[in-house]
Amino acid sequence: MRKLLMKVGVPLVAGAVVLSGFSGAAFATAKHPDATKPTFDLAYEGPLSGGNAQLGLNMAYAVQYAINQANAGKSQFGKLPFTLKYVAKDDQGSPTISPTDAQELVANGAVIGVVGPAFSGATKAAEPTYSAHNLATVSPSATNTLLASAGWHNFFRDVADDSVQGPADANYVVQVLKLTNLYVSNDASTYGEGLAAAFAAQATKDGAKVTTGTFPGTSQCSDGTASPTQYPDDAATVASAKPQLLFYGGYYCDLGLLVGALSHAGYTGKVMSGDGSDSTALVSGTNPATAANGVYATCPCAVLGNSKADNAFASGFKAVAKFPVGIYSGEAFDAANVIIAEMQVLAKGKGGTAKITRVNVVNGLHRIVYRGLTKTVSFLGNGNIAGADIYVNQVVNGKLVQLGLA
């Protein structure tokens, strides 16, 4: 593998020009791209609207910020011999919408890489199109295990998959929390089913008693077809089983509805979910909000610390997004930058920027080693990240607090 070890401590400057949504005043003071440089489009695909939009927005603005910094020559790459244009596609996390977004992106010959798709179901549905056109996709958050076994040479992700997260969660519950009577449910999504199954299998191996059930996601929150009116009955089902812990494979919007119903049903056990629920929006989406206190939410992503690079990223991200960094913001930033890093490698070689093609970017990503903000990024042959940790977070007084490694 080629090593491209970028120094994450290089200052990142906030306030670079935003590439979309210009106001008249902002555009008047913006620097126009150098016409002598070729321009490439770097896209993001994920939910930008709908019940789970916050997860997508956390990533989209990180991609936009990475592009802003690269174009301004203020990133770790220095002055680049090309210009990047940000393109966003809102798939709402839906596998019925993502194929159309993928078709539109591959039809745009300027698109050189895609950060995303964000959700596993959307990835599964869109990836055949991306693969057929050799367009690199680097997902910051799609964790379904089977995505890496479909033979898509263009598919990459910079987070651990459910085969790592699910068992780690189960081991934490049984071995650390010492809970052995468990109810495992999911929202019937590709992501939720996969994570719940991995958790249940490991918990059973660990000696726990596992009861399983499916509570389909609602049309209010996701691509599901169920109604929120189901949750009082679902909560009653869980409460009557009297588990010590409910593990939920799914996303924060529906989990918030379920947690609220559990509170009203008198459920006294604990609740754990995975990265799809690792958002402060879980708290605001729970009624009463206090019912979310104590909920565990694990993630193959670490809360950024207090290093100079972390603080610079957090400041720069907020300047663009107008809200603080959230789950997968750092991973999305790294996903965008690993694509940019490979483009830089190609541009420095014989042939210059003419070597920046979709096929060459895909092939290069299979060999690259990039020291990013959240981790050193290198990929296995199937596109999975090489090594990762799982972190346990918990809602404490309405805020997510990182407890440590699972």
Side-chain angles (χ1 to χ4, degrees):
M1 291 187 289
R2 290 173 297 162
K3 290 189 176 182
L4 188 64
L5 302 180
M6 296 297 176
K7 296 181 179 179
V8 298
V10 174
L12 304 179
V13 179
V17 176
V18 178
L19 298 184
S20 65
F22 283 116
S23 67
F27 188 77
T29 59
K31 291 184 178 180
H32 295 277
D34 185 342
T36 64
K37 295 181 180 181
T39 297
F40 299 94
D41 290 359
L42 183 55
Y44 168 75
E45 185 199 325
L48 302 176
S49 63
N52 294 305
Q54 189 59 55
L55 292 173
L57 294 170
N58 290 345
M59 297 178 247
Y61 281 111
V63 176
Q64 190 168 16
Y65 177 57
I67 290 173
N68 292 353
Q69 293 299 96
N71 281 336
K74 295 174 180 177
S75 72
Q76 64 266 54
F77 306 110
K79 187 175 182 180
L80 292 170
F82 52 82
T83 300
L84 292 165
K85 178 183 175 183
Y86 175 64
V87 177
K89 288 293 182 182
D90 177 14
D91 64 15
Q92 298 179 38
S94 168
T96 60
I97 296 175
S98 62
T100 299
D101 286 343
Q103 288 284 1
E104 292 176 357
L105 289 176
V106 299
N108 177 359
V111 176
I112 200 67
V114 179
V115 176
F119 284 11
S120 292
T123 301
K124 180 180 178 182
E127 209 60 51
T129 298
Y130 288 127
S131 178
H133 292 82
N134 297 306
L135 183 57
T137 61
V138 183
S139 179
S141 56
T143 59
N144 182 268
T145 302
L146 296 179
L147 295 175
S149 62
W152 299 317
H153 186 65
N154 67 301
F155 167 80
F156 305 90
R157 53 182 161 199
D158 64 352
V159 292
D161 68 15
D162 294 338
S163 70
V164 177
Q165 186 177 4
D169 291 355
N171 290 338
Y172 185 84
V173 167
V174 177
Q175 298 171 9
V176 178
L177 298 181
K178 305 298 183 183
L179 305 177
T180 56
N181 182 13
L182 314 176
Y183 196 107
V184 179
S185 67
N186 69 82
D187 65 354
S189 69
T190 299
Y191 159 72
E193 288 180 338
L195 180 60
F199 176 95
Q202 185 61 46
T204 300
K205 288 181 181 178
D206 289 344
K209 174 189 173 184
V210 175
T211 302
T212 60
T214 299
F215 306 146
T218 64
S219 56
Q220 173 179 315
C221 288
S222 64
D223 194 46
T225 57
S227 167
T229 58
Q230 74 176 351
Y231 285 119
D233 289 340
D234 293 339
T237 297
V238 174
S240 65
K242 298 181 179 179
Q244 294 170 299
L245 178 138
L246 166 68
F247 182 86
Y248 178 79
Y251 297 100
Y252 67 80
C253 183
D254 277 304
L255 179 59
L257 298 176
L258 178 57
V259 168
L262 287 169
S263 175
H264 292 297
Y267 174 71
T268 58
K270 300 181 185 298
V271 177
M272 174 182 276
S273 189
D275 50 300
S277 300
D278 188 21
S279 171
T280 54
L282 170 66
V283 180
S284 60
T286 299
N287 183 23
T290 53
N293 281 329
V295 173
Y296 295 94
T298 66
C299 189
C301 56
V303 175
L304 296 179
N306 297 312
S307 71
K308 186 177 181 180
D310 290 348
N311 290 335
F313 171 69
S315 175
F317 175 93
K318 189 173 183 180
V320 175
K322 309 306 179 186
F323 60 81
V325 294
I327 177 178
Y328 290 131
S329 296
E331 284 74 17
F333 186 69
D334 282 346
N337 279 328
V338 76
I339 295 173
I340 299 171
E342 180 54 35
M343 294 174 69
Q344 183 187 47
V345 169
L346 291 169
K348 285 183 176 180
K350 185 177 180 181
T353 56
K355 296 291 289 184
I356 302 176
T357 65
R358 290 178 176 179
V359 171
N360 286 345
V361 169
V362 168
N363 291 337
L365 288 176
H366 277 283
R367 301 189 298 272
I368 201 167
V369 177
Y370 166 74
R371 186 180 297 160
L373 182 71
T374 64
K375 62 179 73 72
T376 295
V377 178
S378 64
F379 302 106
L380 303 177
N382 61 5
N384 275 346
I385 188 73
D389 293 318
I390 304 299
Y391 296 85
V392 180
N393 308 300
Q394 187 178 35
V395 180
V396 179
N397 295 324
K399 296 181 179 180
L400 277 166
V401 177
Q402 186 169 291
L403 303 182
L405 289 170

